[in-house]
């Protein structure tokens, strides 16, 4: 195991208790890596929690002196040779003609990924006890950081600017689940079409499995290159507890959708998020990954880091050792299955900033 893999896992599990208030300081709430900020460590950009409860208690601090940034552990310099925060992207200062800030339409993730949540509402969020317990998708609406529904034209406009001004390399689109049988596939396809008409950039769409597999073909034909359908947790009792609403979609249904989508997008172009630390055993996560890889799906395993304001805000993070054991086993399975994060067109596994898995892969 590399030292870099261990340091990044430690920081992602424990967070950092204080960071300089400059550059791209990250954000609170929303979908994806909330309460995090991006750090580049020895050439690898990763998302590290800085605003949640866990990070407040962390022994790690990010400091800066005479232009040099360094990480302290209990006041001792870890002596990381290359360390930097990311700067605020230029597109954040722009607004649409109707006065909507580009930043409330899409955000910079990691160093070169543009991410948007097309629909910031979710059918599963009508009652908090029904929603995915870790999710903060509607929190950023309450904080007025974003808008409920972004139009295809708005996202295309922001993507074009982000590519031109900030060298963005890929677009990741997620969505709250609408009350329709396509589960968000339709709006994904509409946005991808509008974006590709303006700028040629690889796109990942993320949604629940649509009822009709024809949507996989429609998403692909509209310009979506990679697909994410996120399991998050895998043991049945943990699914019921953590995903009370979404667990009505059975694992068997997901596996069928994975097979159908791989036949359209190709092996290694479909991925799923697995959140380690919510109760699934190491064995369950590794066995599930094995099955996914055999189908052609990349299991993007990330340490669960609670987001402030969610029902799980005080849930403990997994230990570094737990994560490293999983990374070692799953990276070996990925190598055997010849699935590589850097060969994907787009998506979280390609970006890799929320996990140390890709470091173990190489
Ligand atoms: S891995 Fe996905 S959620 Fe995390 S920073 Fe990259 S694009 Fe965003």
């Amino acid at each position: 195991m590399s030292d870099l893999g261990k340091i990044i896992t430690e920081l992602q599990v424990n967070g950092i208790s204080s960071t300089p208030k400059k550059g791209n300081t990250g954000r609170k709430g929303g979908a994806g890596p909330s309460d995090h900020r991006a750090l580049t460590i020895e050439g690898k950009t990763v998302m590290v929690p800085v605003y949640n409860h866990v990070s407040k208690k962390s022994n790690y601090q990010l400091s800066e002196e005479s232009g040099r940034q360094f990480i302290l552990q209990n006041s001792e310099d870890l002596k990381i040779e290359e360390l930097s925060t990311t700067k605020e992207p230029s597109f954040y200062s722009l607004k649409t003609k109707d006065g909507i800030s580009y930043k409330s339409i899409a955000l910079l993730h990691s160093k070169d990924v543009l991410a948007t949540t097309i629909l910031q509402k979710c059918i599963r969020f009508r009652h908090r006890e029904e929603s995915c317990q870790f999710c903060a998708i509607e929190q950023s609406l309450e904080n007025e950081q974003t808008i409920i529904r972004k139009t295809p034209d708005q996202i295309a406009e922001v993507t074009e600017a982000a590519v031109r001004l900030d060298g963005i390399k890929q677009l990741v689109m997620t969505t709250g689940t609408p009350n329709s049988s396509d589960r968000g596939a339709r709006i994904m396809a509409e946005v991808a079409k509008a974006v590709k008409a303006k700028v040629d950039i690889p796109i990942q769409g993320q949604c629940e499995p649509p009822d009709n597999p024809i949507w996989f073909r429609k998403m692909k034909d509209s310009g979506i290159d990679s697909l994410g359908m996120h399991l998050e947790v895998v043991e049945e009792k943990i699914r019921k507890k953590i995903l009370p609403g979404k667990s009505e979609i059975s694992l068997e249904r997901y596996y069928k959708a994975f097979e159908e989508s791989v036949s359209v997008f190709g092996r290694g172009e479909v991925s799923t998020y697995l959140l380690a630390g919510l109760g699934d055993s190491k064995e369950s996560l590794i066995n599930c990954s094995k099955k996914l890889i055999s189908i052609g799906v990349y299991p993007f395993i990330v340490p669960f880091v609670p987001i402030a304001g969610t029902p799980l805000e005080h849930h403990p993070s997994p230990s570094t050792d737990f994560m490293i054991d999983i990374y070692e086993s799953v990276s070996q399975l990925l190598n055997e299955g010849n699935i590589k994060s850097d060969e994907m067109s787009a998506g979280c596994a390609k970006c890799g900033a929320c996990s140390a898995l890709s470091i173990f892969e190489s």
Side-chain angles (χ1 to χ4, degrees):
M1 184 239 322
S2 70
D3 286 349
L4 182 60
K6 177 151 193 207
I7 288 170
I8 289 174
T9 307
E10 265 286 284
L11 294 176
Q12 290 192 319
V13 162
N14 295 299
I16 289 180
S17 60
S18 70
T19 72
K21 299 279 173 281
K22 61 189 256 197
N24 186 12
T25 51
R27 73 189 166 120
K28 301 178 186 179
S34 307
D35 296 357
H36 287 53
R37 75 176 293 173
L39 285 185
T40 301
I41 302 174
E42 295 178 13
K44 171 88 183 157
T45 303
V46 290
M47 301 302 287
V48 176
V50 292
Y51 297 122
N52 61 358
H53 292 291
V54 172
S55 53
K56 281 185 198 136
K57 289 184 266 165
S58 171
N59 296 328
Y60 293 100
Q61 287 175 297
L62 177 65
S63 295
E64 186 175 287
E65 221 173 79
S66 314
R68 178 186 166 250
Q69 293 186 324
F70 49 94
I71 292 179
L72 301 172
Q73 182 184 20
N74 295 324
S75 310
E76 196 176 317
D77 189 346
L78 287 188
K79 299 212 166 54
I80 296 172
E81 284 189 12
E82 286 174 62
L83 175 75
S84 58
T85 48
T86 50
K87 65 178 180 42
E88 176 123 332
S90 305
F91 79 86
Y92 275 14
S93 61
L94 303 180
K95 286 186 175 166
T96 61
K97 278 196 257 2
D98 36 355
I100 299 169
S101 155
Y102 277 17
K103 193 180 175 183
S104 59
I105 293 169
L107 289 170
L108 174 69
H109 279 201
S110 184
K111 65 178 190 307
D112 55 12
V113 180
L114 186 68
T116 186
T117 302
I118 301 174
L119 179 64
Q120 204 80 32
K121 289 253 175 197
C122 181
I123 42 164
R124 311 207 179 279
F125 224 90
R126 275 186 299 230
H127 304 289
R128 205 25 165 142
E129 57 284 6
E130 281 294 301
S131 76
C132 300
Q133 299 294 289
F134 49 78
C135 184
I137 192 166
E138 295 194 10
Q139 261 168 243
S140 34
L141 274 181
E142 287 157 20
N143 305 337
E144 297 184 356
Q145 292 169 342
T146 188
I147 53 178
I148 291 184
R149 170 86 189 254
K150 290 112 187 173
T151 67
D153 285 348
Q154 286 170 337
I155 295 174
E157 180 179 334
V158 176
T159 307
E160 186 281 324
V163 170
R164 178 168 38 85
L165 301 172
D166 298 294
I168 291 298
K169 299 271 189 330
Q170 56 153 313
L171 172 65
V172 173
M173 310 186 300
T174 191
T175 186
T177 302
N179 193 7
S180 57
S181 62
D182 63 273
R183 309 268 172 173
R186 179 189 298 276
I187 53 177
M188 292 277 157
E190 287 167 358
V191 173
K193 199 165 169 208
V195 170
K196 285 274 167 97
K198 256 199 150 89
V199 56
D200 188 19
I201 183 173
I203 300 177
Q204 185 192 45
Q206 301 178 347
C207 60
E208 289 185 10
D211 284 8
N212 188 335
I214 191 73
W215 281 107
F216 297 128
R217 174 50 60 194
K218 288 187 180 180
M219 284 193 278
K220 171 89 174 152
D221 290 349
S222 71
I224 293 177
D225 303 281
S226 306
L227 184 72
M229 292 187 291
H230 297 166
L231 286 174
E232 272 109 18
V233 289
V234 298
E235 288 176 25
E236 213 39 56
K237 63 179 188 308
I238 310 293
R239 294 189 83 226
K240 290 216 160 64
K241 185 170 149 206
I242 303 292
L243 324 167
K246 200 170 90 157
S247 61
E248 74 188 24
I249 308 171
S250 68
L251 273 186
E252 290 65 37
R253 173 77 196 90
Y254 265 94
Y255 285 125
K256 185 157 183 285
F258 286 133
E259 283 168 7
E260 290 163 344
S261 55
V262 168
S263 74
V264 172
F265 287 90
R267 201 177 151 76
E269 289 289 7
V270 177
S271 59
T272 192
Y273 240 84
L274 293 174
L275 298 169
L278 284 172
D280 283 326
S281 69
K282 243 184 256 180
E283 293 69 31
S284 300
L285 289 164
I286 294 167
N287 287 337
C288 174
S289 301
K290 192 171 186 178
K291 180 159 180 173
L292 290 163
I293 293 166
S294 73
I295 298 171
V297 174
Y298 187 105
F300 186 56
I301 301 191
V302 307
F304 170 67
V305 183
I307 300 173
T310 63
L312 295 180
E313 65 180 342
H314 294 292
H315 194 284
S317 303
S319 70
T320 301
D321 288 347
F322 182 82
M323 290 310 304
I324 286 176
D325 285 352
I326 295 174
Y327 288 149
E328 286 181 336
S329 300
V330 174
S331 57
Q332 195 180 328
L333 292 167
L334 282 165
N335 287 334
E336 287 164 11
N338 200 26
I339 291 187
K340 297 181 170 53
S341 53
D342 61 1
E343 289 180 2
M344 296 183 88
S345 302
C348 288
K350 171 96 178 171
C351 162
C354 288
S355 166
L357 180 57
S358 61
I359 299 165
F360 287 76
E361 243 180 86
S362 44

